[in-house]
Amino acid sequence: MSKNEIPYKIYLSESELPKSWYNLRADMKNKPAPLLHPGTHQPLKLEELTPIFCEELAKQELDDTTPYIEIPEEIRNFYKMYRPSPLVRAYCLEKQLGTPAKIYYKFEGNNTSGSHKLNSAIAQAYFAKKQGLKGVTTETGAGQWGTALSMACAYFGLDCQVYMVKVSYEQKPFRREVMRTYGAKVTPSPSDTTEVGRKILKEFPGTTGSLGCAISEAVEAATTQEGYRYVLGSVLSQVLLHQSVIGLETMTALDKYGVKPDMIIGCAGGGSNLGGLISPFMGRKLRGEADYQIIAVEPASCPSFTRGVYAYDFCDTGHVCPLAKMYTLGSEFIPSANHAGGLRYHGMSSVLSQLYDDKLIEARAVEQTSVFQAAEQFARIEGILPAPESSHAIRVAIDEALKCKETGEEKTIVFGLTGTGYFDLVAYQKYNDGQMGDYIPTDADLKRGFDAIPRFPGNME
Amino acid sequence: MSKNEIPYKIYLSESELPKSWYNLRADMKNKPAPLLHPGTHQPLKLEELTPIFCEELAKQELDDTTPYIEIPEEIRNFYKMYRPSPLVRAYCLEKQLGTPAKIYYKFEGNNTSGSHKLNSAIAQAYFAKKQGLKGVTTETGAGQWGTALSMACAYFGLDCQVYMVKVSYEQKPFRREVMRTYGAKVTPSPSDTTEVGRKILKEFPGTTGSLGCAISEAVEAATTQEGYRYVLGSVLSQVLLHQSVIGLETMTALDKYGVKPDMIIGCAGGGSNLGGLISPFMGRKLRGEADYQIIAVEPASCPSFTRGVYAYDFCDTGHVCPLAKMYTLGSEFIPSANHAGGLRYHGMSSVLSQLYDDKLIEARAVEQTSVFQAAEQFARIEGILPAPESSHAIRVAIDEALKCKETGEEKTIVFGLTGTGYFDLVAYQKYNDGQMGDYIPTDADLKRGFDAIPRFPGNME
């Protein structure tokens, strides 16, 4: 098929929607390290996970051998309301850059949650409903995950309790109102509704909260209410499994038009988008069927891959969750207050961490002013106002396309556009006013984070 | 084709994108009344319009005989970035309502401006660019139109000056920042940058502005700067022409699946969405090829169709624009402060007004609490958080589907979902907090508006 026939947007038909998620771990020779019990440092067993997580999701978390896991029909029906998502050929951007590179992006922002998070939220809500639960609890920082989960719970008639970091609850009232419109109960964290919340409030009366604290409250709320479980929107292997729908659609669309990507680029915070986007491509790479250059893009202000260590670490600042082996900056690491976007998690998904350690993917750290420059350029020529997170991938895609302009190489670049920036206008305003700064942590900043990583035989010793 | 084969979302291919706009006026036996000069009360000539409007757009405004007007390729290429827009089968809503009715909606919210306004913005920017202009000026209230025009101007490298009603400028900073990100110059109105602005500021130092005042400033800015023209996002016949792309796509999609709608529903403020959606269907109706029940839905708090008069009236409170014959509440009519959504314009497009007067369309007025109830119900089951404006159509679509449930009729209902409510969360918060009230103007309120309608031979006499 000639290149001229490739439309601006490739929309697969609903019958081409994946029928199974792809579990990349099944094709990995070096499996991601198992979750450990925070007290005993022994791999966690299913029965240790199920008091906190839904049973089916706990099984998915532990399953590193089954390559394809069927997507239940109820989830597929929900997916049909906003999927298959478009794979867009960035014709206008290519023309403006004057590059011989072909640029594609998989756009996950065409749903009310505004991001790819909904792909896993609906799966987690479904399995909770199927288990006969009354509801789920979770935490949210910026609010993307909380919004997605609220939508999913509304659809299945499940109670949804969101602990929202207090400073976000107050400064992002619109995100909060979207969740409320979908029927979620949104509580500013720390709150007096949990023991851990009351304890923190007593100790730090003026605190504006943190993700670590909100996680602790959500976990307590899940384990102390009959018929509730806790759910999480990133980092976990089950989340990457659900997000593989992004990569599967992308691969089907590219295959359909006979396009072979040279390079796949995605932003990486906890890793749910990048992991989902690259999964089936990495599968081909691991099976020796194809090769791709895969680039994880992270903020220079929170550089888990490029400056972190590969070790077992706490997943949360409250230290109530299992230990995960990951590239990490330490659970005490907090990016500078001037860091605008998400991608502020201290660690990276175990699956991606193992792939990075095996040199199967590479990583780049980019500074935020250059990220917003890319966002502005992209918005003006491609029409979509991107989320700051997604714009990290745009930055590197543009950089690579400009390299092709110099070398004359006709590379095919695919990147993940995870979502829209409609709820990130405070950050855009900062950029528009010329007030956006950059920040790169010093070695001393990093050391403080590393010092908080647990020491035990075989870890950080 | 069996009904079961209809997907959740019908996406036309890019080759099915309309190649021409449809000019409904050409098929109307009773043409809409011409625009009049506000001083002489004589029909306006082309040369009287071109100092204010772009030449090609002025021609389109006056053309009531050419049925199809080609969409230039540059505009079609821009359309491809977000069109064809999906026609969605509301399977989930139907199931929840338990109705035998089949419900479809044409969703125009999948672009950064968040609404259908972009369809006309890109056309107007294109013709301005083609005429060799430096830039365009406009006013914006809530900010939807200003955002759309900013995006369109960024794409064609055209200067964009937006006069934003001061109260919105201050209370809707996010809309403002989207426009700035797209490079627009946004000025709170009234401002000291125009003569009329300075005059108003002197007279009313504490004013928070009005749409009428912002129009006056935008028109002055256009006519006093070399290489600038004024553009408008609704009411005008040229805007309805551009918006016919909505109806043409809807018709192609329905025809493709052999679906014959019984009823077409749209919200109506100035009429750009409803006019665009119904145009080709009304064409078939006028030519006797098919029949449809067509329903315009307006807020009970701003009921131009259901309680207005059909007369020549000022288009703006500043009285600088031509007179248009329309169903109107009078240019001095201002809906109650508790009215949340858009749809607050005092008059209705001349095209739609003539059709309504000829009883070819009907109208319903709905109260805002019931509109937000419909919005919430729709969001929770169909996933999309709708704009308050669009939710007027949802309200009546649900009402009609419930009537079918009683009667057992299997009607096919099509409605226009003009956009998303991501920038309307203040209104949603009011609803979530149970603080939303209803307001129906008294006859005395209406009389004050009617009194401001100009009296001259043949008008209001």
Side-chain angles (χ1 to χ4, degrees), chain B residues 196-454:
Chain B
V196 60
R198 286 187 295 269
K199 196 179 147 201
I200 291 168
L201 280 174
K202 200 173 166 189
E203 208 167 334
F204 310 99
T207 179
T208 54
S210 72
L211 212 49
C213 164
I215 293 179
S216 306
E217 287 205 85
V219 171
E220 181 184 323
T223 49
T224 53
Q225 290 177 96
E226 182 68 33
Y228 280 76
R229 290 294 184 282
Y230 168 72
V231 297
L232 187 66
S234 189
V235 184
L236 296 177
S237 298
Q238 58 176 282
V239 177
L240 267 71
L241 172 72
H242 307 147
Q243 295 296 358
S244 69
V245 69
I246 305 172
L248 291 164
E249 285 181 9
T250 304
M251 182 174 266
T252 303
L254 290 172
D255 285 353
K256 197 167 171 175
Y257 285 88
V259 177
K260 193 198 152 304
D262 298 296
M263 189 179 284
I264 302 167
I265 300 168
C267 63
S272 72
N273 159 67
L274 181 70
L277 173 64
I278 69 169
S279 275
F281 296 98
M282 182 57 76
R284 281 190 179 166
K285 185 166 167 158
L286 291 171
R287 296 189 303 268
E289 298 163 11
D291 197 18
Y292 314 96
Q293 186 182 4
I294 294 173
I295 306 174
V297 190
E298 59 185 17
S301 53
C302 189
S304 0
F305 265 154
T306 51
R307 297 178 70 196
V309 295
Y310 191 34
Y312 269 104
D313 195 10
F314 300 107
C315 291
D316 60 312
T317 23
H319 300 180
V320 298
C321 293
L323 298 176
K325 191 171 180 191
M326 50 191 182
Y327 274 83
T328 179
L329 298 165
S331 61
E332 304 282 309
F333 179 85
I334 293 177
S336 154
N338 90 351
H339 174 68
L343 310 180
R344 50 173 62 246
Y345 189 65
H346 66 278
M348 188 61 72
S349 131
S350 292
V351 173
L352 293 180
S353 291
Q354 185 58 48
L355 294 171
Y356 184 64
D357 201 53
D358 288 339
K359 304 203 178 352
L360 290 160
I361 61 180
E362 49 191 278
R364 305 254 172 98
V366 292
E367 295 183 43
Q368 77 175 351
T369 304
S370 76
V371 166
F372 275 81
Q373 278 164 352
E376 178 186 270
Q377 182 176 9
F378 183 82
R380 291 185 182 183
I381 197 69
E382 287 286 322
I384 297 167
L385 186 80
E389 296 84 353
S390 326
S391 306
H392 287 71
I394 299 174
R395 173 73 275 158
V396 172
I398 290 177
D399 290 345
E400 291 294 328
L402 289 174
K403 278 186 207 161
C404 289
K405 188 178 177 177
E406 278 177 28
T407 62
E409 287 175 289
E410 291 191 21
K411 284 190 183 169
T412 295
I413 299 169
V414 175
F415 73 90
L417 191 73
T418 55
T420 53
Y422 305 149
F423 294 95
D424 302 291
L425 272 307
V426 170
Y428 273 99
Q429 179 170 1
K430 220 168 169 181
Y431 175 75
N432 292 335
D433 289 340
Q435 308 274 312
M436 179 155 280
D438 289 314
Y439 171 74
I440 299 178
T442 64
D443 288 342
D445 293 334
L446 293 185
K447 188 178 176 300
R448 270 192 297 278
F450 296 150
D451 285 346
I453 297 172

Side-chain angles (χ1 to χ4, degrees), chain A residues 85-98:
Chain A
S85 70
L87 181 70
V88 187
R89 173 74 184 269
Y91 280 118
C92 299
L93 180 62
E94 288 173 19
K95 194 176 161 194
Q96 188 185 60
L97 296 175

